[in-house]
Amino acid sequence: MKDTEGYVTADGRQIGGTLMEMKNITLRFGGVVAIKDISFDVHEGEIRAIIGPNGAGKSSMLNVISGFYTPSEGEVWYQGAKRPQMKPYEVARMGVARTFQNIALFEGMTVLDNVMTGRLTHMNASVLSQAIWWGRAREEEIENREKVERVIDFLEIQHIRKTPVGRLPYGLKKRVELARALAAEPSLLLLDEPMAGMNVEEKEDMSRFILDVNDEFGTTICLIEHDMGVVMDLSDRVVVMDYGKKIGDGTPDEVRNDQAVIDAYLGVAHD
Amino acid sequence: MLYRTAGQFKTSYKADQALFPVRQDAILLGIIMVFAWVIFPFTASEFAFQTMLIPVLIYALASMGLNILTGYAGQLSLGTAAFMGVGAYACYKLLTIMPWMNPVVAIFLSGFFSAGIGVVFGIPSLRIKGFYLAIATLAAQFFLVWLFEKWAWLYNYNASGAIQVPNTTTLGTYVTGPLASSMTQYYVVLGIVTVMTILCINLTRGNLGRMWKATRDMDIAAELIGINLMKSKLIAFAISSYIVGVAGALYVFMWKGAAEPNLFDIPLSFEILFIAIIGGLGSILGNFLGAILIVGLPVVLNLLPDALGIPISSALVEHLNIMIVGSLIVFFLIIEPHGLARLWALIREKLIIWPFPH
Ligand SMILES: Nc1ncnc2c1ncn2[C@@H]1O[C@H](COP(=O)(O)OP(=O)(O)O)[C@@H](O)[C@H]1O
Ligand SMILES: [Mg+2]
């Protein structure tokens, strides 16, 4: 049902070709094997989930994708080419943006400034131009501010624009972090447990935002969850990990009925 | 009422990004400028120039340089005085090797020497952070002061080992040296400090400023959103050391008139750090507030007892000064890490809603 040319989802959305392919990724920390020979792909425009119990290696996988960890073995293919070893900032400059399992906002800055940092990879005025606040630097600041304001409107955080991030409650911080990632206009958006620690209402809001982002901007999203229920309605295809291994890969329905997956989840029964 | 913002709506992002979104701020700054450029210089005594006006500006500039590095980019430095020394010695060599050079040009050029050396000593910051980096900058502090002492070429082989500021002129007026008037020197310092302050405000409110603050607040996240940490830190070291170097050149050429190597010893580094902390890390305004306090306190302590008719020894004055500065440091580190600048921001916020508190 899928090939490199893309596929049509159950709800009739056209998904594009392969954007990224992880080939036989293994990641070791000393004696610990966090990821064991995992391969999967992400198609352009889809919502791809990685699920699995705590400690399965999901965050490690995301860190490999963003270049924070270098895999011990295996290759990352991005936009049709093998990605050489890269620093995280270089990966970000290729259009990969992300949020973190434990919120990683810049606490000393306002919401607006935090979201503006998402535009960093698109700004290149010289230091001199910035120092005299003239020419390129000024144009750039205004252009990018307009883009950032659209993201702020989209995520409904206008009212806290000028608030220092440190003062915000947890749920809003998660949203600001999403805003910062979205501001980068990424070709691949990585979300590490975007709904962790939220109440039901906040989870519903976040799910709606994720779907809207994918729908309105066609952004490819790869998200991690350890709560299986949340992801099933949201994602087009799901990779299931357990103890560093891939134990399932397919549509939510296929995965839900997979015996290996059911066993893995029963084994850790609602932690 | 004083700070009424009602009716001042922003209709574009450009307006919102303006330096003074609130009109009263601009008015207040205008008043301060009139004092700085007209009233002070025309009414100040020689004593006021030498004990307050000139040193406050120079210390504020040095603190601003440190603040770029520590308050904005989050890299602690204990070597500020040594980098001031690099600026001062560079200026001395420029003006003695090329006596025809305009002294103001020489002062601006000398900053490039400290910037270069600052970048070299900033390289460890790519591997180490916090306390360990502070120790590395301390090494720079000791090494450079040692160099000022041992490298006789730096002070033109003077028997005294000190540098004497030569008399130089700009447009027929003496600007440096014993023949220069305090008023002239004050204006030169004020001009340079004003320009540098404007550049710093721009740098810290734009993209580079956000890059620095991101590096400071969470370096791992900063790198993952696309910041080249090496670039961010080294640019901070370069710009910070440039400003500190210019401040060092001003310190000797516009104020002290002469300098021995030990002038740039660690106590001066700490004095500048205290100004930055008391004024407020991560604030431009704070450098001025901190400098007024640290420079002004001993002056007031010296004058006050006399004015009140209380006899008090100069040793006691010095002890009092150290005690007060010490307690202020403790107060600000514990109660208000953002310093005097934050206190002003709170007062300003209160004035904006006054007299309708909600
Ligand atoms: N930097 C690291 N050093 C050592 N072990 C690590 C490191 N990062 C993750 N691990 C280990 O890898 C395994 C997977 O962790 P993680 O990827 O965080 O799981 P998940 O996100 O699925 O909960 C865990 O056993 C964890 O202890
Ligand atoms: Mg995780």
Side-chain angles (χ1 to χ4, degrees), chain B residues 338-355:
Chain B
H338 295 284
L340 290 169
R342 172 61 61 84
L343 292 183
W344 163 242
L346 290 176
I347 294 170
R348 183 176 166 279
E349 238 169 72
K350 288 270 182 325
L351 286 177
I352 286 177
I353 55 172
W354 184 82

PDB file of all heavy atoms in Angstrom, chain B residues 338-355:
ATOM      1  N   HIS B 338      18.877  40.186  39.185  1.00  0.00           N
ATOM      2  CA  HIS B 338      18.881  41.070  38.019  1.00  0.00           C
ATOM      3  C   HIS B 338      19.203  42.507  38.365  1.00  0.00           C
ATOM      4  O   HIS B 338      19.088  43.400  37.527  1.00  0.00           O
ATOM      5  CB  HIS B 338      17.574  40.945  37.247  1.00  0.00           C
ATOM      6  CG  HIS B 338      17.390  39.592  36.666  1.00  0.00           C
ATOM      7  ND1 HIS B 338      18.061  39.151  35.558  1.00  0.00           N
ATOM      8  CD2 HIS B 338      16.658  38.534  37.078  1.00  0.00           C
ATOM      9  CE1 HIS B 338      17.737  37.895  35.300  1.00  0.00           C
ATOM     10  NE2 HIS B 338      16.886  37.496  36.214  1.00  0.00           N
ATOM     11  N   GLY B 339      19.589  42.717  39.633  1.00  0.00           N
ATOM     12  CA  GLY B 339      20.211  43.974  39.999  1.00  0.00           C
ATOM     13  C   GLY B 339      19.342  45.219  39.995  1.00  0.00           C
ATOM     14  O   GLY B 339      18.117  45.162  39.966  1.00  0.00           O
ATOM     15  N   LEU B 340      20.044  46.357  40.015  1.00  0.00           N
ATOM     16  CA  LEU B 340      19.367  47.652  40.051  1.00  0.00           C
ATOM     17  C   LEU B 340      18.458  47.842  38.843  1.00  0.00           C
ATOM     18  O   LEU B 340      17.403  48.466  38.947  1.00  0.00           O
ATOM     19  CB  LEU B 340      20.404  48.776  40.085  1.00  0.00           C
ATOM     20  CG  LEU B 340      21.220  48.918  41.375  1.00  0.00           C
ATOM     21  CD1 LEU B 340      22.383  49.877  41.146  1.00  0.00           C
ATOM     22  CD2 LEU B 340      20.325  49.418  42.500  1.00  0.00           C
ATOM     23  N   ALA B 341      18.881  47.299  37.708  1.00  0.00           N
ATOM     24  CA  ALA B 341      18.075  47.469  36.494  1.00  0.00           C
ATOM     25  C   ALA B 341      16.682  46.880  36.698  1.00  0.00           C
ATOM     26  O   ALA B 341      15.689  47.446  36.254  1.00  0.00           O
ATOM     27  CB  ALA B 341      18.760  46.808  35.298  1.00  0.00           C
ATOM     28  N   ARG B 342      16.598  45.733  37.394  1.00  0.00           N
ATOM     29  CA  ARG B 342      15.299  45.124  37.643  1.00  0.00           C
ATOM     30  C   ARG B 342      14.491  45.979  38.618  1.00  0.00           C
ATOM     31  O   ARG B 342      13.288  46.158  38.451  1.00  0.00           O
ATOM     32  CB  ARG B 342      15.473  43.704  38.170  1.00  0.00           C
ATOM     33  CG  ARG B 342      14.196  43.033  38.658  1.00  0.00           C
ATOM     34  CD  ARG B 342      13.139  42.880  37.566  1.00  0.00           C
ATOM     35  NE  ARG B 342      13.613  42.070  36.471  1.00  0.00           N
ATOM     36  CZ  ARG B 342      13.564  40.746  36.462  1.00  0.00           C
ATOM     37  NH1 ARG B 342      13.089  40.103  37.492  1.00  0.00           N
ATOM     38  NH2 ARG B 342      14.010  40.087  35.423  1.00  0.00           N
ATOM     39  N   LEU B 343      15.189  46.518  39.621  1.00  0.00           N
ATOM     40  CA  LEU B 343      14.480  47.383  40.570  1.00  0.00           C
ATOM     41  C   LEU B 343      13.852  48.559  39.832  1.00  0.00           C
ATOM     42  O   LEU B 343      12.710  48.926  40.067  1.00  0.00           O
ATOM     43  CB  LEU B 343      15.425  47.878  41.671  1.00  0.00           C
ATOM     44  CG  LEU B 343      15.943  46.820  42.650  1.00  0.00           C
ATOM     45  CD1 LEU B 343      16.797  47.454  43.733  1.00  0.00           C
ATOM     46  CD2 LEU B 343      14.784  46.038  43.261  1.00  0.00           C
ATOM     47  N   TRP B 344      14.606  49.133  38.906  1.00  0.00           N
ATOM     48  CA  TRP B 344      14.066  50.246  38.116  1.00  0.00           C
ATOM     49  C   TRP B 344      12.877  49.780  37.281  1.00  0.00           C
ATOM     50  O   TRP B 344      11.851  50.452  37.193  1.00  0.00           O
ATOM     51  CB  TRP B 344      15.150  50.861  37.231  1.00  0.00           C
ATOM     52  CG  TRP B 344      14.576  51.706  36.116  1.00  0.00           C
ATOM     53  CD1 TRP B 344      14.714  51.501  34.790  1.00  0.00           C
ATOM     54  CD2 TRP B 344      13.747  52.876  36.245  1.00  0.00           C
ATOM     55  NE1 TRP B 344      14.022  52.446  34.073  1.00  0.00           N
ATOM     56  CE2 TRP B 344      13.419  53.310  34.948  1.00  0.00           C
ATOM     57  CE3 TRP B 344      13.241  53.590  37.327  1.00  0.00           C
ATOM     58  CZ2 TRP B 344      12.619  54.418  34.692  1.00  0.00           C
ATOM     59  CZ3 TRP B 344      12.426  54.697  37.070  1.00  0.00           C
ATOM     60  CH2 TRP B 344      12.134  55.111  35.776  1.00  0.00           C
ATOM     61  N   ALA B 345      12.995  48.583  36.688  1.00  0.00           N
ATOM     62  CA  ALA B 345      11.896  48.058  35.870  1.00  0.00           C
ATOM     63  C   ALA B 345      10.629  47.899  36.715  1.00  0.00           C
ATOM     64  O   ALA B 345       9.523  48.188  36.245  1.00  0.00           O
ATOM     65  CB  ALA B 345      12.297  46.724  35.245  1.00  0.00           C
ATOM     66  N   LEU B 346      10.802  47.460  37.971  1.00  0.00           N
ATOM     67  CA  LEU B 346       9.644  47.295  38.845  1.00  0.00           C
ATOM     68  C   LEU B 346       9.011  48.645  39.178  1.00  0.00           C
ATOM     69  O   LEU B 346       7.792  48.805  39.136  1.00  0.00           O
ATOM     70  CB  LEU B 346      10.059  46.584  40.140  1.00  0.00           C
ATOM     71  CG  LEU B 346      10.434  45.102  39.986  1.00  0.00           C
ATOM     72  CD1 LEU B 346      10.922  44.529  41.305  1.00  0.00           C
ATOM     73  CD2 LEU B 346       9.254  44.294  39.450  1.00  0.00           C
ATOM     74  N   ILE B 347       9.866  49.633  39.471  1.00  0.00           N
ATOM     75  CA  ILE B 347       9.346  50.975  39.764  1.00  0.00           C
ATOM     76  C   ILE B 347       8.585  51.510  38.552  1.00  0.00           C
ATOM     77  O   ILE B 347       7.486  52.055  38.657  1.00  0.00           O
ATOM     78  CB  ILE B 347      10.503  51.938  40.122  1.00  0.00           C
ATOM     79  CG1 ILE B 347      11.145  51.500  41.440  1.00  0.00           C
ATOM     80  CG2 ILE B 347      10.019  53.375  40.199  1.00  0.00           C
ATOM     81  CD1 ILE B 347      12.443  52.222  41.761  1.00  0.00           C
ATOM     82  N   ARG B 348       9.180  51.285  37.375  1.00  0.00           N
ATOM     83  CA  ARG B 348       8.581  51.783  36.143  1.00  0.00           C
ATOM     84  C   ARG B 348       7.211  51.126  35.922  1.00  0.00           C
ATOM     85  O   ARG B 348       6.245  51.794  35.558  1.00  0.00           O
ATOM     86  CB  ARG B 348       9.527  51.453  34.990  1.00  0.00           C
ATOM     87  CG  ARG B 348       9.096  51.962  33.643  1.00  0.00           C
ATOM     88  CD  ARG B 348      10.173  51.645  32.620  1.00  0.00           C
ATOM     89  NE  ARG B 348       9.676  51.813  31.275  1.00  0.00           N
ATOM     90  CZ  ARG B 348       8.957  50.905  30.632  1.00  0.00           C
ATOM     91  NH1 ARG B 348       8.656  49.773  31.235  1.00  0.00           N
ATOM     92  NH2 ARG B 348       8.540  51.127  29.408  1.00  0.00           N
ATOM     93  N   GLU B 349       7.143  49.810  36.164  1.00  0.00           N
ATOM     94  CA  GLU B 349       5.878  49.095  36.022  1.00  0.00           C
ATOM     95  C   GLU B 349       4.813  49.689  36.946  1.00  0.00           C
ATOM     96  O   GLU B 349       3.673  49.879  36.570  1.00  0.00           O
ATOM     97  CB  GLU B 349       6.072  47.615  36.355  1.00  0.00           C
ATOM     98  CG  GLU B 349       5.698  46.662  35.240  1.00  0.00           C
ATOM     99  CD  GLU B 349       6.163  45.246  35.526  1.00  0.00           C
ATOM    100  OE1 GLU B 349       5.567  44.612  36.409  1.00  0.00           O
ATOM    101  OE2 GLU B 349       7.132  44.796  34.883  1.00  0.00           O
ATOM    102  N   LYS B 350       5.253  49.998  38.188  1.00  0.00           N
ATOM    103  CA  LYS B 350       4.346  50.590  39.170  1.00  0.00           C
ATOM    104  C   LYS B 350       3.861  51.956  38.692  1.00  0.00           C
ATOM    105  O   LYS B 350       2.698  52.300  38.817  1.00  0.00           O
ATOM    106  CB  LYS B 350       5.049  50.755  40.521  1.00  0.00           C
ATOM    107  CG  LYS B 350       5.286  49.462  41.272  1.00  0.00           C
ATOM    108  CD  LYS B 350       4.097  49.134  42.174  1.00  0.00           C
ATOM    109  CE  LYS B 350       4.269  47.885  43.004  1.00  0.00           C
ATOM    110  NZ  LYS B 350       5.011  46.784  42.409  1.00  0.00           N
ATOM    111  N   LEU B 351       4.786  52.734  38.117  1.00  0.00           N
ATOM    112  CA  LEU B 351       4.423  54.071  37.651  1.00  0.00           C
ATOM    113  C   LEU B 351       3.439  53.998  36.494  1.00  0.00           C
ATOM    114  O   LEU B 351       2.582  54.862  36.335  1.00  0.00           O
ATOM    115  CB  LEU B 351       5.673  54.843  37.213  1.00  0.00           C
ATOM    116  CG  LEU B 351       6.580  55.347  38.341  1.00  0.00           C
ATOM    117  CD1 LEU B 351       7.812  56.028  37.755  1.00  0.00           C
ATOM    118  CD2 LEU B 351       5.831  56.317  39.242  1.00  0.00           C
ATOM    119  N   ILE B 352       3.568  52.938  35.665  1.00  0.00           N
ATOM    120  CA  ILE B 352       2.678  52.816  34.520  1.00  0.00           C
ATOM    121  C   ILE B 352       1.234  52.632  34.978  1.00  0.00           C
ATOM    122  O   ILE B 352       0.311  53.210  34.408  1.00  0.00           O
ATOM    123  CB  ILE B 352       3.118  51.645  33.607  1.00  0.00           C
ATOM    124  CG1 ILE B 352       4.377  52.043  32.833  1.00  0.00           C
ATOM    125  CG2 ILE B 352       2.008  51.269  32.629  1.00  0.00           C
ATOM    126  CD1 ILE B 352       4.942  50.952  31.961  1.00  0.00           C
ATOM    127  N   ILE B 353       1.014  51.837  36.024  1.00  0.00           N
ATOM    128  CA  ILE B 353      -0.366  51.593  36.443  1.00  0.00           C
ATOM    129  C   ILE B 353      -0.836  52.591  37.511  1.00  0.00           C
ATOM    130  O   ILE B 353      -2.014  52.716  37.778  1.00  0.00           O
ATOM    131  CB  ILE B 353      -0.571  50.145  36.947  1.00  0.00           C
ATOM    132  CG1 ILE B 353       0.409  49.816  38.059  1.00  0.00           C
ATOM    133  CG2 ILE B 353      -0.436  49.163  35.807  1.00  0.00           C
ATOM    134  CD1 ILE B 353       0.126  48.478  38.716  1.00  0.00           C
ATOM    135  N   TRP B 354       0.126  53.330  38.118  1.00  0.00           N
ATOM    136  CA  TRP B 354      -0.236  54.279  39.152  1.00  0.00           C
ATOM    137  C   TRP B 354      -1.132  55.363  38.586  1.00  0.00           C
ATOM    138  O   TRP B 354      -0.881  55.784  37.458  1.00  0.00           O
ATOM    139  CB  TRP B 354       1.051  54.887  39.716  1.00  0.00           C
ATOM    140  CG  TRP B 354       0.866  55.821  40.858  1.00  0.00           C
ATOM    141  CD1 TRP B 354       0.705  55.507  42.170  1.00  0.00           C
ATOM    142  CD2 TRP B 354       0.852  57.242  40.779  1.00  0.00           C
ATOM    143  NE1 TRP B 354       0.593  56.634  42.909  1.00  0.00           N
ATOM    144  CE2 TRP B 354       0.669  57.718  42.102  1.00  0.00           C
ATOM    145  CE3 TRP B 354       0.948  58.177  39.731  1.00  0.00           C
ATOM    146  CZ2 TRP B 354       0.597  59.081  42.398  1.00  0.00           C
ATOM    147  CZ3 TRP B 354       0.886  59.521  40.027  1.00  0.00           C
ATOM    148  CH2 TRP B 354       0.708  59.960  41.357  1.00  0.00           C
ATOM    149  N   PRO B 355      -2.158  55.859  39.206  1.00  0.00           N
ATOM    150  CA  PRO B 355      -2.550  55.521  40.577  1.00  0.00           C
ATOM    151  C   PRO B 355      -3.685  54.496  40.618  1.00  0.00           C
ATOM    152  O   PRO B 355      -4.470  54.527  41.559  1.00  0.00           O
ATOM    153  CB  PRO B 355      -3.033  56.869  41.095  1.00  0.00           C
ATOM    154  CG  PRO B 355      -3.663  57.500  39.885  1.00  0.00           C
ATOM    155  CD  PRO B 355      -2.989  56.941  38.676  1.00  0.00           C
TER     156      PRO B 355
END
